[in-house]
Amino acid sequence: MNELTPLVISVVGSSGAGKTTLIEKLLRELSKRKYTTAAVKHCPHGFDLDVEGKDSWRFTQAGASGIFLTSTRQIGLIKSLEHVPTLRSIAKHYFYDLDIVLGEGFSEEKEVSKIVVIRKAISKSVPPPRGDIVALVSDFEIETEKPVFKFDDVSHLADFIEQLLSQQRQLLVQENQADGSVSLNINKKPV
């Protein structure tokens, strides 16, 4: 971990439990706190990005395996893939210069910290304690060693995420000091 990397956390839970709503609230709160953030959603059933008749759709129809869209304020990538890239890989390659990447889904990834969303009326059960679960968000009381937040307590959840980011940055500094390397970053980008 000798390079600048964002904090990567996946928000997981049953369909309809409120993952997207929670991520929206966290993005607003973390942005207010001046963090640069990204959201990555795993769509196991696919999605449509190309709009019929638009240039990107026409390029796809013509046989392009990859399309990169640019404008003065944003980029977009459409690329045919054989497998789903990991959340860490997406963060490393596309969001390396941001502070925090929040994923939705990616529940099977072993090396990603997870916040589990649980709704009494929707979720089948409380997950067993695992090392990759860092917190839970629930609408009912849960007995667990992990921190539990209420859905309307986004501010405290954002505080918790800030602590995780601070810990990750401290570890990075310690690792760089231990191996004697020095890194130079300008505007959060490695030089």
Side-chain angles (χ1 to χ4, degrees):
M1 196 162 145
N2 289 330
E3 57 189 55
L4 184 64
T5 57
L7 175 66
V8 179
I9 298 175
S10 187
V11 176
V12 301
S14 300
S15 178
K19 299 181 299 289
T20 301
T21 302
L22 179 64
I23 290 172
E24 285 177 312
K25 289 178 180 182
L26 279 170
L27 290 170
R28 282 189 188 94
E29 182 66 27
L30 293 166
S31 293
K32 272 197 282 185
R33 297 176 186 209
K34 306 297 184 210
Y35 288 102
T36 55
T37 59
V40 179
K41 180 173 175 76
H42 180 230
C43 304
H45 304 294
F47 60 92
D48 292 320
L49 186 60
D50 282 339
V51 176
E52 186 173 343
K54 293 291 189 179
D55 292 348
S56 59
W57 179 84
R58 292 172 57 198
F59 296 152
T60 301
Q61 297 304 305
S65 295
I67 301 163
F68 195 91
L69 309 168
T70 66
S71 73
T72 55
R73 298 184 50 95
Q74 56 191 1
I75 63 171
L77 172 67
I78 302 169
K79 183 178 176 186
S80 299
L81 297 172
E82 294 294 318
H83 57 84
V84 176
T86 66
L87 182 55
R88 281 226 182 269
S89 174
I90 293 167
K92 180 180 178 183
H93 290 95
Y94 301 106
F95 300 119
Y96 59 88
D97 57 341
L98 302 184
D99 296 313
I100 301 165
V101 175
L102 297 174
E104 181 176 335
F106 301 94
S107 60
E108 300 303 316
E109 277 195 40
K110 305 272 188 254
E111 309 242 343
V112 173
S113 297
K114 295 173 184 67
I115 296 173
V116 180
V117 178
I118 303 172
R119 290 262 191 206
K120 191 171 194 169
I122 295 171
S123 305
K124 294 177 176 99
S125 65
V126 176
R130 297 185 338 214
D132 60 347
I133 296 174
V134 294
L136 295 99
V137 175
S138 178
D139 60 355
F140 62 97
E141 294 296 320
I142 299 172
E143 288 192 35
T144 180
E145 297 173 2
K146 306 291 181 173
V148 179
F149 299 90
K150 300 287 183 197
F151 277 91
D152 59 355
D153 197 10
V154 174
S155 180
H156 285 106
L157 181 56
D159 292 342
F160 177 75
I161 291 171
E162 279 184 314
Q163 290 174 347
L164 294 176
L165 178 62
S166 177
Q167 290 170 0
Q168 176 178 294
R169 288 179 173 170
Q170 288 173 354
L171 281 173
L172 177 62
V173 168
Q174 291 171 359
E175 286 178 7
N176 283 339
Q177 290 172 344
D179 70 10
S181 66
V182 175
S183 61
L184 174 62
N185 296 304
I186 298 177
N187 293 330
K188 299 183 187 176
K189 295 180 182 175
V191 177

